[in-house]
Amino acid sequence: MQALKIVLEGMTTSFRYPHFMLGVQPSFPLPPPATVYGHVCSALGEWVDPEGLVFAYHFTVAGEGHDLEHTHVLSAASGKLPGGERKVLEGNVNPFKRHILLFPRLTLYLNRPDWIDAFRYPRYPVVLGRSQDLAAYTQIEIIELQQTEQVYFEHTLLPFAMAAHVPAGVVTLMPRWINYRDRRRPTFARYLMLRERVTSVQMLRYGDQQPVYWSDPTAPRVDGLPLGLWFHSFVGAADEAITMA
């Protein structure tokens, strides 16, 4: 299987938890699938059909910190301004702390090697997360993935179903896809965030399971094992069917 491999590096990023409005803005430690979808669409310059598009990634940061920001919370107003004009809006400045990830490095794999020129010449500025989190592509290539029974996973997303097999990770609810053509309607899904290293030998197997994983032969090996890749979809079929043979 051929895949498009893209390496992105930046100085800062932040992946906001939904539904937090005031006081604090925590960040997911890994980019949600909806963020990946928006990034791909930004490079192509249009909203692409997510059907059939799958991705895998490896994401690391050099550190974490906090920044102080503020928002203007507005509401409808009554009364008049000092000059006699009618008030329309009024509001207050609300400061909050934002969780920042420092020097992010994203290695993204897509099942669309034909999009290589879109990432060589992206339509919009390269950002990851917020609009001010400028980044740059440091490597873009087409690679041939391999299937193997022995791999290691780290700094990536696994499907929620793997929580019963993997002796590490944190289960969380993430935005899977945002339909910008339907009033930004979000779709959510549960994932296993894996920041530490786990090998396929450490994973629990049930019955006669003989899983086979996609791997990147160009990534650094650890104890002789290649980097495992778990491909996720934005819509459609369950993620388990995409990776395990």
Side-chain angles (χ1 to χ4, degrees):
M1 170 181 171
Q2 283 193 333
L4 178 59
K5 179 179 179 179
I6 305 138
V7 179
L8 176 149
E9 298 184 59
M11 297 185 65
T12 60
T13 191
S14 184
F15 310 118
R16 184 177 72 87
Y17 275 79
H19 316 307
F20 279 77
M21 296 299 294
L22 301 174
V24 63
Q25 291 285 1
S27 172
F28 287 110
L30 300 173
T35 298
V36 175
Y37 173 75
H39 181 84
V40 171
C41 293
S42 175
L44 271 68
E46 60 181 339
W47 299 116
V48 298
D49 185 356
E51 189 70 39
L53 177 62
V54 297
F55 73 95
Y57 70 61
H58 180 270
F59 179 80
T60 59
V61 297
E64 302 179 12
H66 290 87
D67 197 6
L68 187 64
E69 299 183 358
H70 69 267
T71 58
H72 295 271
V73 180
L74 303 177
S75 61
S78 60
K80 295 184 179 181
L81 296 171
E85 296 183 13
R86 183 182 298 275
K87 279 187 178 182
V88 178
L89 295 173
E90 61 184 2
N92 297 307
V93 175
N94 289 273
F96 63 90
K97 287 175 61 176
R98 181 183 292 276
H99 182 201
I100 302 294
L101 306 179
L102 305 175
F103 298 101
R105 188 178 192 272
L106 171 69
T107 304
L108 177 63
Y109 303 83
L110 299 172
N111 66 330
R112 292 300 300 268
D114 54 312
W115 286 352
I116 187 169
D117 286 339
F119 287 88
R120 286 173 173 166
Y121 311 101
R123 176 64 178 82
Y124 294 105
V126 180
V127 299
L128 184 65
R130 305 170 300 166
S131 60
Q132 63 264 46
D133 292 323
L134 294 176
Y137 299 129
T138 57
Q139 180 182 339
I140 303 171
E141 61 178 331
I142 297 174
I143 64 171
E144 190 73 35
L145 302 182
Q146 296 179 352
Q147 286 190 305
T148 178
E149 295 182 3
Q150 303 298 330
V151 297
Y152 72 93
F153 290 99
E154 64 177 3
H155 305 296
T156 191
L157 283 184
L158 296 178
F160 170 71
M162 288 301 294
H165 301 262
V166 179
V170 176
V171 172
T172 188
L173 186 72
M174 282 182 160
R176 184 186 186 195
W177 180 56
I178 295 178
N179 188 346
Y180 286 88
R181 293 190 173 95
D182 184 13
R183 297 179 294 178
R184 295 172 58 90
R185 181 175 59 85
T187 300
F188 292 88
R190 289 178 295 180
Y191 295 92
L192 179 66
M193 296 190 301
L194 185 64
R195 302 181 70 184
E196 53 196 291
R197 182 177 301 152
V198 173
T199 68
S200 52
V201 175
Q202 297 172 303
M203 295 181 184
L204 297 177
R205 298 184 183 184
Y206 302 103
D208 297 328
Q209 288 182 336
Q210 293 294 332
V212 178
Y213 307 96
W214 289 112
S215 66
D216 178 3
T218 67
R221 286 178 168 260
V222 174
D223 296 330
L225 298 178
L227 175 65
L229 303 176
W230 200 294
F231 282 87
H232 302 270
S233 62
F234 299 104
V235 296
D239 296 335
E240 292 89 334
I242 296 171
T243 302
M244 300 181 69

